[in-house]
Amino acid sequence: MTDPTSRDVATTPPSRPASAWGFALLLALLGMLGPFSIDTYIPAFGAIASAIQASPAQMQQTLSAYLFGFAFMNLFHGALSDSFGRRPVVLGGLALFTVASAGCALAQSIEALVFWRAVQGFSTGAGIVVSRAIIRDVFAPGQAQRVMSQVTIFFGIAPVIAPMIGGLVADWWGWHAVFWFLVVVGVGLFASSATWLKETLAPEQRQPLRVGNLMRGYASLCSDPRFLLLCFASGVPFNGMFLYVLSAPAFLGDILQLAPTQFFWFFVLNVVGIISGSWTSGRMAGKVAPKRQIRDGFFVMVLVCLVNIAANALFTPHALWSMWPVMFYSFGWALMVPAVTLLVLDLHPDRRGMASSLQSVVGSAANGIVAGVLAPLVMHSALGLAVAAAGLLATGLVSWVWLHQRWPEIGRRAHELT
C-alpha cells in the first residue's frame, strides 16, 4: 500500500475554503442527500397512493426504482469524477436531482412517479461517492478522518430523520410538498457547491475515460481481496442499525406498544449514538492506530449484540430497555467506519473516486437486501431482530478479522492517520 502519510501537492486545491468547518459541513450535506432522499416521502405513501390511484405494490416500486438507480450509478460516479474532476460530477448530479424532484412533485401517475424516482436515484449517489474522494484529495489523513467523522454523523442520521421531516411536511402541506422540499434542498446544495466547492483533482492526475481503462480499474479493485474485505467491513455492519430503522413501525408500535408520538425517542437515541461515536472517532484521529479504533468499534457492537440477544431471549421486550442497544450499536459503528473508509480510499490512491463508488455499491446492495428481504422476515420479533442484526455484524467482523490475519500491516500505525 502506498504511504498514506505523504500527500501530493497537486492534489491540494488552488484555494482552500475560508472555513474548514463550513467546507466539512458542505461535504457532509452532500453525503447525506442520498440516504435522506430514500425515506423522506415514505410517511406520505398512503396519501400518494390515494391521489394517483396506486396499489401498495406499485408504491413499493417507487422505492425499488430509486434504490436500483442509486446502486447502479454508484458504479460510475466515482469513475466519472476520476476522469472529469470532482466538481462537475457533483454539480451535474445536484442539477439532475433537482429536476427529478420537481418531476416527482408534478407526477400525475404511478408510472411517472416511478420514472422520476429512478432519475433521483441515478443522481444522488454523486454526493456521497465524490465527497469521500474530495475529503482525501484535500486533507492529510488525520484531518481527513476528522472530516470523515463529521460526514458520518450526517450519513448516519439521514435515514433516521428523513421520515420525521417528510411526515411533518406531508401533514402540513400535502404529499407534493415533500418533493418540492427536496427541490429546495437541491437548489440550495447546487448554489452552495457552485460557490464554495473548488476542484480538488489536478488535471494531470485524472484517468482517461476509456472503456478499457475503466475495465482495468474495476478489475484491479475487484480482484484486490484487501479492498473487498474492507468494503464488507464498512458497508454491512451499518445494516445492524438500519434494520431497526426499517422495522420501526412494527418494532416500536407492535412489539413495544408505543404510540406514534413516542417513536421520537428511538430516533433521538440513534442520533445520540451516531454523533457521540463520530465525535470520539474524530478525537482519536492521529492519536490511535486505525486498527485499534476499528477493533474497539467492533468490540462495542459485538458486546451489544450479545447482550441484546440474551435480553430478548430471557425477558419480554420493554421500551425501558429495548431501544438502548441500538444506540450503543450506533456508537460502535460510527466509531470505526471513518477509519475503515479512509483505508479503502488509500489502497488505490490513483482511483479514489472509483474506490468510493464500489464501496457505496457494497453498502447499497446490503441495504437493498435488508430492506427487501430481511426486514419483512424479522420485524415482528424482537429476538429475530436482535439475531439478524448480529448476523449482519458478523459479516463485517469476519471480513475485518480475515483482513487482519492476512495483512496485519494495514491500519497498524497511528501515523497513517496523522
Side-chain angles (χ1 to χ4, degrees):
M1 186 171 71
T2 57
D3 182 7
T5 63
S6 63
R7 182 176 53 153
D8 195 319
V9 175
T11 66
T12 304
S15 59
R16 281 281 190 90
S19 168
W21 183 90
F23 185 58
L25 177 61
L26 175 60
L27 295 177
L29 292 174
L30 290 172
M32 77 176 287
L33 183 62
F36 183 80
S37 301
I38 293 174
D39 298 330
T40 312
Y41 79 125
I42 287 180
F45 255 37
I48 297 173
S50 177
I52 61 177
Q53 298 181 339
S55 68
Q58 289 175 318
M59 287 302 302
Q60 188 65 30
Q61 290 175 10
T62 66
L63 182 59
S64 300
Y66 180 99
L67 292 172
F68 173 79
F70 185 82
F72 178 76
M73 274 307 295
N74 272 344
L75 284 169
F76 303 105
H77 286 306
L80 291 172
S81 76
D82 284 341
S83 299
F84 297 112
R86 315 299 191 202
R87 192 171 186 269
V89 175
V90 169
L91 293 178
L94 291 172
L96 185 59
F97 170 79
T98 303
V99 171
S101 298
C104 290
L106 297 171
Q108 299 296 315
S109 67
I110 185 62
E111 292 79 13
L113 185 59
V114 169
F115 171 79
W116 287 114
R117 281 290 289 174
V119 177
Q120 269 190 328
F122 275 110
S123 61
T124 52
I128 184 62
V129 168
V130 182
S131 64
R132 288 172 180 166
I134 290 173
I135 289 170
R136 194 59 188 92
D137 287 342
V138 174
F139 297 104
Q143 182 64 15
Q145 184 180 336
R146 286 184 279 273
V147 176
M148 194 73 74
S149 298
Q150 295 170 335
V151 172
T152 300
I153 293 174
F154 285 80
F155 179 82
I157 68 174
V160 175
I161 66 172
M164 299 169 61
I165 295 175
L168 290 174
V169 173
D171 286 343
W172 289 344
W173 296 297
W175 72 266
H176 296 279
V178 176
F179 294 110
W180 288 122
F181 169 73
L182 293 177
V183 170
V184 173
V185 171
V187 170
L189 284 176
F190 183 91
S192 300
S193 299
T195 303
W196 292 300
L197 185 63
K198 309 301 180 183
E199 182 54 61
T200 63
L201 186 65
E204 61 270 19
Q205 293 182 311
R206 297 178 189 178
Q207 298 287 332
L209 188 63
R210 294 195 296 266
V211 173
N213 183 62
L214 286 177
M215 292 301 101
R216 283 191 295 273
Y218 286 123
S220 175
L221 293 176
C222 292
S223 62
D224 185 347
R226 302 170 304 165
F227 175 80
L228 296 176
L229 290 171
L230 283 170
C231 285
F232 277 99
S234 64
V236 180
F238 168 76
N239 287 278
M241 171 188 67
F242 191 46
L243 174 66
Y244 277 89
V245 174
L246 292 168
S247 307
F251 174 61
L252 301 176
D254 299 338
I255 297 175
L256 300 186
Q257 297 294 303
L258 295 178
T261 55
Q262 297 173 306
F263 288 11
F264 171 79
W265 295 108
F266 170 76
F267 296 115
V268 167
L269 289 174
N270 276 354
V271 170
V272 168
I274 292 167
I275 291 176
S276 56
S278 299
W279 181 84
T280 305
S281 176
R283 297 285 294 177
M284 295 172 71
K287 302 174 184 177
V288 176
K291 180 172 289 188
R292 176 182 165 187
Q293 184 172 334
I294 296 166
R295 180 203 65 190
D296 291 347
F298 272 117
F299 176 80
V300 170
M301 289 187 287
V302 168
L303 181 62
V304 168
C305 284
L306 293 176
V307 170
N308 196 28
I309 291 173
N312 281 288
L314 297 173
F315 306 104
T316 301
H318 194 281
L320 289 178
W321 62 265
S322 292
M323 295 185 287
W324 289 94
V326 187
M327 184 192 77
F328 288 110
Y329 185 99
S330 300
F331 173 89
W333 172 79
L335 176 64
M336 68 92 178
V337 78
V340 179
T341 298
L342 288 176
L343 293 178
V344 169
L345 297 177
D346 281 343
L347 279 176
H348 298 269
D350 57 330
R351 294 189 182 271
R352 286 191 180 119
M354 184 178 286
S356 183
S357 280
L358 290 175
Q359 182 189 25
S360 292
V361 167
V362 172
S364 297
N367 294 347
I369 293 171
V370 170
V373 179
L374 187 57
L377 292 176
V378 300
M379 64 170 55
H380 298 289
S381 166
L383 181 59
L385 284 167
V387 172
L392 292 165
L393 170 62
T395 302
L397 179 61
V398 169
S399 299
W400 174 251
V401 171
W402 188 353
L403 181 82
H404 170 70
Q405 296 294 328
R406 180 64 179 81
W407 294 277
E409 72 280 0
I410 295 179
R412 173 180 290 171
R413 299 183 301 276
H415 72 75
E416 285 187 80
L417 294 176
T418 58

